[in-house]
Amino acid sequence: MRPRNVVLALAAATGLAAASLSISLAAVPPPQSGSLTKYDVTGTYVSGLSSGGFMANQLHVAYSSVFQGAGIFSAGAYDCAQNDLNTALLACMDTFQARKTPAELEQLTRTRASAGSVDPPQNLAGDPVWLFHGSADDTVDRAVNDDLATYYRDFGARVVYDNSTAAGHAWISPIGPNACGTTTSPYVNRCGTTDPVKEMLTHLFGQVNPAASALSGRLVRFDQNTHAPGGDAAAISMGREGFAYVPRSCETGPCKLMVTLHGCYQYFGLIGDALLDKAYLNEYADTNNMIVLYPQATTMAGNPRGCWDWWGYQSARYPLKTGPQMTAVVNMVRALSGGTPTTPPTTTTTTPPTSQCVTASNYAHTVAGRAYANLGQTYALGSNQPLGLWNTFTTSVIRQTSPNHWVKC
């Protein structure tokens, strides 16, 4: 166990009562154009939802020398998808198809570490990991999320796993705009008076001060091209703009860094500042000396819903240290902490076949569109217009005929 983790474990045992039970409301400030500059960063952590949760795990595993802990909402174990779309859909979101066991993925991690493709997994021992899966989440099956917990525990991470809340597939925040059990844009839900963000940060940091009621920091809007391999964020399905919330205290003193990764359909170009405003991270950042980095994915061929690459739509190196998106995010981290940027090998874009068949109940938050199904009726993307009534819901499938059109196969 790293010495840092011994200190955090002791702090967690004595500091849980320090957090306030009150809920503070503080709108995110308007973004200011700028760049990522060096701060006195004392520790780096990563969090994310859904595709951002898979990406958070990839970053934590591949760069375990950089990230000291992770908070993940609704995702599976490292490289569950195995560079295969069908596996991602049918085994790593639902469980219609066999998937690699945690033990097999752990051995894969060791093999890659021996080759230098990822950092040694021994680094994960003692790291705090906070996981969440809502009991009303039909997008990622709980068994898949359970695998993630097993994977981390087998490597010796200190895992806290909340799987008892009746939440849908979303980031859970005490100021979320959506009802707890829903799965709908902007995928930020409120579950009564619970504060999973406080629980996550308390586990990661040892203790947290009460959230701020008014924000004193600034929201920096920066050019992601500066940090993307080849200087072209769009080529790796990342947006031109990323964001970082910097508390006033971090301008002159030491601070932690939290990298937060959105889910599919949750990127800034689609939902605006809804996640930045309602995730309830900035409020804790202000009172706990924490910078929050919000990298942004976007759409491209094979990824029309702005997911992070956790199944290989953009590069077969997606879960490795040389993965283009992984490299871009780590370059942002190093810009904020004073490290040297990484330059991976030149990458090529891979585009999946235009016709993909998936089960209606399973397809969500992943590739070209979202099919909502209820009592055998499937609805068009982002609308309430049915595509048609199917006789047998559990065996019906859909096929993509254009980026925003799915029909029965």
Side-chain angles (χ1 to χ4, degrees), residues 369-400:
R370 173 183 296 274
Y372 290 94
N374 184 25
L375 300 178
Q377 196 167 29
T378 296
Y379 294 83
L381 309 175
S383 74
N384 294 317
Q385 302 304 313
L387 292 176
L389 190 63
W390 297 349
N391 294 328
T392 307
F393 167 69
T394 57
T395 59
S396 296
V397 292
I398 53 178
R399 174 173 60 84
Q400 181 187 17

Side-chain angles (χ1 to χ4, degrees), residues 294-317:
Y294 298 98
Q296 297 295 308
T298 192
T299 59
M300 70 176 300
N303 182 37
R305 297 304 164 196
C307 306
W308 291 100
D309 193 359
W310 64 275
W311 71 90
Y313 69 76
Q314 195 276 321
S315 170
R317 300 194 311 276

Side-chain angles (χ1 to χ4, degrees), residues 110-135:
R110 295 186 189 97
T111 300
R112 289 177 174 174
S114 297
S117 299
V118 302
D119 284 346
Q122 295 90 328
N123 291 342
L124 298 174
D127 274 6
V129 172
W130 184 89
L131 306 178
F132 184 96
H133 185 271
S135 60

Side-chain angles (χ1 to χ4, degrees), residues 24-315:
S24 303
L25 299 175
V28 67
Q32 305 173 11
S33 295
S35 59
L36 298 182
T37 57
K38 180 181 177 180
Y39 296 91
D40 183 5
V41 174
T42 58
T44 304
Y45 302 82
V46 63
S47 58
L49 161 68
S50 194
S51 75
F54 279 98
M55 185 70 168
N57 171 251
Q58 288 175 188
L59 283 163
H60 188 201
V61 171
Y63 285 96
S64 56
S65 62
V66 174
F67 296 94
Q68 284 94 53
I72 297 173
F73 289 85
S74 195
Y78 173 77
D79 202 9
C80 178
Q82 297 286 288
N83 196 31
D84 184 85
L85 175 60
N86 285 333
T87 301
L89 291 170
L90 302 179
C92 301
M93 294 179 65
D94 218 317
T95 54
F96 298 131
Q97 176 179 301
R99 63 189 180 280
K100 294 283 188 181
T101 65
E104 290 173 319
L105 296 176
E106 291 156 24
Q107 184 54 49
L108 173 64
T109 306
R110 295 186 189 97
T111 300
R112 289 177 174 174
S114 297
S117 299
V118 302
D119 284 346
Q122 295 90 328
N123 291 342
L124 298 174
D127 274 6
V129 172
W130 184 89
L131 306 178
F132 184 96
H133 185 271
S135 60
D137 186 342
D138 294 328
T139 301
V140 172
D141 194 276
R142 174 175 164 174
V144 175
N145 216 128
D146 291 349
D147 284 357
L148 178 60
T150 299
Y151 175 92
Y152 268 124
R153 286 172 177 147
D154 286 350
F155 277 127
R158 295 188 292 111
V159 177
V160 168
Y161 184 13
D162 181 349
N163 54 24
S164 61
T165 304
H169 190 70
W171 180 281
I172 310 303
S173 160
I175 58 172
N178 293 347
C180 184
T182 61
T183 299
T184 188
S185 184
Y187 309 103
V188 185
N189 292 5
R190 180 182 65 260
C191 293
T193 59
T194 63
D195 188 354
V197 178
K198 180 191 73 174
E199 296 169 8
M200 175 180 73
L201 296 177
T202 298
H203 183 59
L204 295 182
F205 301 158
Q207 65 180 37
V208 294
N209 296 318
S213 58
L215 298 180
S216 65
R218 59 193 179 97
L219 184 67
V220 178
R221 179 176 55 220
F222 64 92
D223 186 353
Q224 293 195 140
N225 290 315
T226 303
H227 309 283
D232 189 350
I236 60 171
S237 202
M238 291 182 66
R240 179 174 181 178
E241 297 177 327
F243 300 87
Y245 179 76
V246 183
R248 185 178 299 171
S249 62
C250 297
E251 302 284 0
T252 56
C255 270
K256 298 172 286 291
L257 172 61
M258 172 62 76
V259 179
T260 297
L261 301 161
H262 60 77
C264 305
Y265 294 90
Q266 215 181 23
Y267 59 98
F268 183 82
L270 182 64
I271 68 167
D273 66 2
L275 180 65
L276 280 63
D277 186 38
K278 299 302 183 183
Y280 211 51
L281 285 167
N282 304 329
E283 287 80 358
Y284 281 112
D286 244 23
T287 55
N288 290 277
N289 300 324
M290 178 179 74
I291 297 168
V292 187
L293 174 66
Y294 298 98
Q296 297 295 308
T298 192
T299 59
M300 70 176 300
N303 182 37
R305 297 304 164 196
C307 306
W308 291 100
D309 193 359
W310 64 275
W311 71 90
Y313 69 76
Q314 195 276 321
S315 170

